[in-house]
Amino acid sequence: MIETVKLSKIFKGKKAVDEIDLYIDEGESIGLLGPNGAGKSTTISMISTLLKPTSGDVKLNGKSTIKNPGEIRRILGVVPQEIALYEELTAYENLKFFGEIYHVKKNILEQRTQEVLEMVGLKKRQKELVKTFSGGMKRRVNIAAALLHQPKVLILDEPTVGIDPQSRNHILETVRKLNEEYGTTVLYTSHYMEEVEQLCKRVYIMDHGKVVAAGSKEELLSILSSEDMIQVTLSETSERVVEKVKAINNIRRVDVTDKSLRIISKKGSSILSDLVHAVESEAIHLTNFQMEKPSLEDVFLHITGRTLRD
Amino acid sequence: MFPLMKAQFKKDIRSPWLVILLTIGSILFTFIFTDLHEQTETTVPIFSSEPNSREVEEKWEPLLNANQDYDFVITDELEAQTDVEDGKSEAAIRLSESDYQIIAASNTQAVQLVEDYVHSVFTKEAQLQAASGTGNVDTTREKVNGYLEEAPFQMQTESIEGGEVPEYNMQLQLLFGFTLFLAMFTIGFKVNAVTSDKVSGVWDRMILSPVSKTGMYAGHLFYSFMIGFMQIVIVLAIFNYVMDYDLGHNFGMILTVAAVFTLSMVSLAMLFTGFIKTPEQFNMIFPSVMPIVPVISGVYMPPGLISHPVLSFVADLFPLVHAIEALMDIAIFDAGWLEITMPLVLMLLIGVICMGVGVNLIERRTK
């Protein structure tokens, strides 16, 4: 349906997006995961024709959208990262306005407005000014405004940044419902891996403008299939104990958080006795030991050497 | 275009105070400043320090007050000097039997005008004195006045159309000046909504919608035009029909000039928008620059006082000076379409250039 071909964008000599190739099939739910500044927003701005690529192409059903953006714009619903609403108007007035500019027919606009308000859980507060809403409620209206014209493809650019858990859950549930029940194709960007894990069947991981990994969740997690994740809690930590643990054979990485050590070791290697010995030699007690399933965060860490929130 | 205008209108209905305050401001400023203008223009204190001061003052006071533009008032010497020092009077005159001395804090244009006038009165009196010799000056004056009434060469001043030369009305100039000046702010702040939409992301949403870019710009600019023009119409209509100001016989032409002015101001505000990045920057820069425009355009002063070529050139780049010229020509001199063609064309030219450059700058930044 939509694909990008060696898509690049250079801002003042710096490559924000570097020859990325991705494709989205109809009805799919795709995640674009990466830390801030990875190039996710620039990529979706180019896909949605708001930004012209420096090189490369965006194709809709095999046809380039760069010279003729009208076709892709008709099927797109874009939820920008910022609150793109008139805060001095009510939620209802905002939706009416966006419905009108999208040429939603007058006789169905009222019904559509009520439907999307219901979908984002703001039907009862539709007559209130947007400026009086909480951050989460504003983000829900922001999403509703992109749904009025019933887009086939919904692009969401970090729609849950800085909001309360209740609104976040509501947004995630809305997106899931749109994809699973209404068959809307979803391209979801975020730096929260839990959201992408929860919503998306396929994930592109971006860093420094490049796609560093891509595939289904299972495929990505299999990158770490040769490794074990171990979470160890100690009575206290010190630099010496960390150094001793790092020196154990088959341990590939050790990250320290508070009184815990997150250890990545070669799969199937028996490090437990060496670990206990290293810890106790420093007169420290091992209070908890847990094997963990790897997450996309671990995949990102494995590929880039840093966390998504770095 | 229409949904966009409707949305802007709804926003303004919720908070209409900017337009209301600027409309009231136009009316108040006109009242306050026309009143001040009347007061400061006329009164000139006069006194004499001669031993026969009373006699000297009584001799010159009626002669000086023969001109209606000035009101020469016999004042105590100390009081006259204090008035000049405090800036209450531009100048005071120390009178002698056949001479005078101007007392002024600085040599302003107004002081020069007073001096020119006083000099002409004293010169004329000296000539009558010389012509009388040892005879009575008043008798000579009567003879000269009688002779001048039926002089062999009669001079008559007429307007171009052959009628009486109309008197310049500063009050009217200030009315037009303040009305257009405050409308400039309303127009600027309304056009600033383009930048607000760009920063908030609403603009991008509109780009993705079926609305064309022309429709997006037209919606914002036509709305800004409507609000600015309505403000001008309301103020001028109040002064013309309620306050009984004489705005001439052709209110329709006045409104046409106001419409062209509004159009060119919308374009000028677009040019500003092209240079700035955020609505906050616009709110800082536009109100800082705009108050200079009426000053260099000579809106607060009688015509001819701004003679510096550079200032005149800069003023000509803004539509205000051309609008005032056209409005005054219509209101005072009963000018027709032909006489106001030039200012109208200049305003339209400013409008076209500013709009072209402004939109290009905005679009270039987007790319």
Side-chain angles (χ1 to χ4, degrees), chain B residues 173-247:
Chain B
Q173 183 178 312
L174 287 172
L175 162 64
F176 289 138
F178 284 121
T179 306
L180 300 189
F181 173 54
L182 291 178
M184 282 158 70
F185 283 93
T186 307
I187 295 163
F189 292 135
K190 293 296 148 207
V191 172
N192 196 22
V194 173
T195 317
S196 300
D197 279 5
K198 277 183 171 271
V199 170
S200 71
V202 171
W203 189 262
D204 281 349
R205 276 210 150 129
M206 288 194 283
I207 288 175
L208 294 174
S209 76
V211 177
S212 67
K213 268 222 174 126
T214 314
M216 288 155 63
Y217 279 115
H220 271 295
L221 300 183
F222 193 62
Y223 181 75
S224 307
F225 171 85
M226 291 281 287
I227 295 292
F229 184 59
M230 282 307 292
Q231 183 181 321
I232 297 173
V233 171
I234 289 168
V235 176
L236 293 183
I238 287 173
F239 275 94
N240 193 39
Y241 298 113
V242 183
M243 309 276 183
D244 253 356
Y245 271 53
D246 182 12
L247 301 192

Side-chain angles (χ1 to χ4, degrees), chain A residues 83 85-95 117 120-142 144 163-164 167:
Chain A
I83 306 292
L85 301 167
Y86 285 128
E87 300 222 347
E88 304 87 344
L89 301 185
T90 63
Y92 175 81
E93 286 167 342
N94 265 288
L95 296 183
L117 279 165
V120 296
L122 288 172
K123 200 170 180 180
K124 284 182 184 162
R125 305 190 66 174
Q126 58 180 293
K127 298 288 179 191
E128 290 176 35
L129 296 182
V130 170
K131 68 179 173 190
T132 64
F133 283 178
S134 69
M137 286 160 74
K138 284 178 187 174
R139 288 211 171 266
R140 278 144 72 182
V141 184
N142 210 25
I163 60 168
D164 56 287
S167 287

Side-chain angles (χ1 to χ4, degrees), chain A residues 7 17 20 22 32 39-48 206:
Chain A
L7 195 65
V17 173
I20 68 161
L22 56 89
L32 205 51
K40 305 185 298 291
S41 295
T42 309
T43 303
I44 62 166
S45 289
M46 287 190 284
I47 293 173
S48 56
M206 285 188 77

